[in-house]
Amino acid sequence: MKYFLILSFSFFASALFAHEGPPFPILVDHKFGEYKLSVWADPDTENGTFTFYPEGENLKKDDLYFEIKAHPQGRPEPILKSTALIPTEDKGRYSYTATLPFPTNETWDIIVVVKNKQNGDTLTSTTVPVEVTPPGPNKTEFVVYTLPFLLVAFIWVRVMIHKRRKKTP
């Protein structure tokens, strides 16, 4: 039985360390001119989402726009591109969202470009490597991941029943 559990864990261990969950920061307080930029990513296959959070004292919602380009590491040509033009306001803070349809699960170089909306000049550009992962477990994977917990619960219930039977005269 213990060999089955060890084998099950080692078979699915690589999937346990993939990114599954909420967005995470890929760029924090990147300074350019009088502004700062933070970028949060949820890099799922087929629907990678990037949210830009610019900050600055004189920042207006129509001052900037953001481009995001991506290519797999080792291949220099940008093959994916998206632009975030329309801001969303939440509690006086603006955010911009762009999505990329990542076709494969691998490490991608993400190029974040900030441009001036008035004249199109590039204000800053930086590259960040990001691991693109599947969007989440499907129903079959969910059952497979749940089986070890159900097995432990079943064994625990059996042991508790066995202990109660031993105690009753």
Side-chain angles (χ1 to χ4, degrees), residues 15-88:
L16 295 175
F17 298 107
H19 168 72
E20 297 295 335
F24 59 93
I26 61 169
L27 195 63
V28 178
D29 294 339
H30 175 74
K31 293 185 185 227
F32 62 99
E34 61 185 271
Y35 305 118
K36 289 192 300 187
L37 176 68
S38 295
V39 180
W40 287 64
D42 190 4
D44 292 336
T45 308
E46 299 173 7
N47 188 22
T49 304
F50 297 86
T51 306
F52 304 88
Y53 297 98
E55 293 180 20
E57 283 187 31
N58 301 320
L59 181 66
K60 296 178 188 133
K61 69 178 183 178
D62 294 327
D63 286 349
L64 308 173
Y65 74 95
F66 306 89
E67 288 182 352
I68 192 142
K69 302 174 188 176
H71 60 82
Q73 273 191 340
R75 290 183 269 175
E77 74 282 352
I79 61 170
L80 299 175
K81 182 179 175 181
S82 182
T83 304
L85 293 168
I86 303 168
T88 304

